[in-house]
Amino acid sequence: MLLHLIVLSSLVSLGLSSSAWPFDVTTLSAPDGSITAKFVSFGATMTELWVKDKYGNARDVILGYDDNTRLLTDPDHPVFNPIVGRYANRIKNGTFSIPITKDPQPDGPNVYHIPLNSGEPIAYLSLSNQCIDRLMALAGQVTLHGGIYGWDRRNWTIVSKTPTSVTYKHLDAADEGFPGNITAYATHKVSDGGVLKTEVYATATQETPIMLTQHIYWNLDAFQDGVNDILGHHLQVDSSKVIAVDSIAIPTGDFIQVEGTPFDFRKEQKIGARWNDTINLCGPGCQGYDHAWVYDNDESNKTGSSLWSDTSGIRWGRS
């Protein structure tokens, strides 16, 4: 209880509350009632996503907090559902040059060093000691999700809003040591038929590495019916290759063909169907999937990957 009081006191001293900006909640609902999404300005983060299950009951199918201020204060920092930037993937040694090169360059005016971090919620996950050791090692070798204070931990501003859409704006003024300023807009929309669409648009004043994503944690059963993980969820991905990475999850420039491997989800498989075969798949001591699949076809107008649960009857599809 004492710790809880200290946290609340800290929030009050910072002028924060669970309802004031940047934790102000914007609720979007489709006219047919099929989907409701909630967002806060902190990180342009989606905090709840309610859709109907096969019984007609609404379930919140993403992870999050009852108190949204924990997006800032949670020391585990699991990065629940924000817009992640300026660079969502890992940068080896937090170092890059402009123009971009594969191999490191000697220090000079066009070589940039940004803060190192693991970016991984070590205390949040149930991990083996070997996997924790790996993540601790990563903490001194990479920059992930844009640095110590990436876009997920920045205050965005609402520039437009309707009952079914909201647009947030963020100015990255060379934050974390990246070159140049970036102006970014993230627009979230819901529509009939249970559709959620997020678009991110950004412009830069200088050449810079940039990779943006919406970092969503899914559980289509909403931790109901005695289901506490997604290993029973079905997954299908229109992809015959994944990007190969080294021991610290940096892309090597090569591809891995999925045929005959646990990566092969071209035909529907349960995520946990080959779980025992994923040991060391995502690095020494790491079990699970932490890779990028490359679509075989243009998926801009169709569903390139699908995730669904027999328990809830909820299906997610992404183009």
Side-chain angles (χ1 to χ4, degrees), residues 97-283:
S97 58
I98 299 294
I100 298 293
T101 61
K102 180 179 179 181
D103 298 317
Q105 301 298 303
D107 280 345
N110 295 319
V111 175
Y112 296 84
H113 301 279
I114 52 180
L116 299 173
N117 66 334
S118 70
E120 302 284 3
I122 294 175
Y124 168 75
L125 298 171
S126 297
L127 302 174
S128 68
N129 290 334
Q130 292 148 318
C131 196
I132 291 174
D133 289 343
R134 172 179 176 268
L135 294 180
M136 293 300 290
L138 283 175
Q141 300 183 62
V142 302
T143 299
L144 179 62
H145 298 336
I148 305 299
Y149 292 100
W151 290 8
D152 65 296
R153 306 192 87 181
R154 301 286 179 170
N155 300 335
W156 295 56
T157 302
I158 294 176
V159 293
S160 66
K161 183 167 62 173
T162 73
T164 57
S165 71
V166 60
T167 297
Y168 294 95
K169 177 182 178 181
H170 173 57
L171 174 62
D172 176 342
D175 292 334
E176 301 292 288
F178 282 95
N181 298 339
I182 288 183
T183 301
Y185 296 88
T187 299
H188 305 289
K189 300 177 182 178
V190 297
S191 57
D192 290 349
V195 176
L196 168 70
K197 184 176 183 179
T198 294
E199 296 178 312
V200 184
Y201 173 79
T203 57
T205 60
Q206 291 179 228
E207 188 175 357
T208 180
I210 185 168
M211 178 187 290
L212 310 178
T213 191
Q214 188 177 24
H215 196 270
I216 302 177
Y217 286 72
W218 298 97
N219 186 313
L220 302 185
D221 296 323
F223 295 98
Q224 298 179 27
D225 305 306
V227 180
N228 293 317
D229 58 47
I230 63 169
L231 296 180
H233 284 25
H234 301 263
L235 178 64
Q236 187 274 326
V237 184
D238 182 18
S239 171
S240 61
K241 58 183 177 290
V242 298
I243 296 174
V245 296
D246 63 16
S247 61
I248 58 171
I250 299 294
T252 65
D254 297 323
F255 297 101
I256 299 171
Q257 299 300 312
V258 304
E259 186 171 359
T261 77
F263 293 118
D264 194 351
F265 287 95
R266 290 173 297 176
K267 293 183 178 179
E268 170 272 325
Q269 293 275 349
K270 287 186 177 181
I271 291 176
R274 294 163 292 185
W275 193 248
N276 291 338
D277 298 328
T278 67
I279 296 173
N280 298 322
L281 196 68
C282 49

Side-chain angles (χ1 to χ4, degrees), residues 7-49:
V7 171
L8 287 179
S9 176
S10 175
L11 291 173
V12 170
S13 67
L14 290 172
L16 302 178
S17 76
S18 59
S19 60
W21 184 85
F23 302 105
D24 51 317
V25 176
T26 294
T27 301
L28 309 178
S29 295
D32 68 354
S34 60
I35 184 169
T36 294
K38 295 185 179 182
F39 302 87
V40 295
S41 297
F42 190 75
T45 299
M46 182 165 59
T47 59
E48 300 175 33
L49 182 63

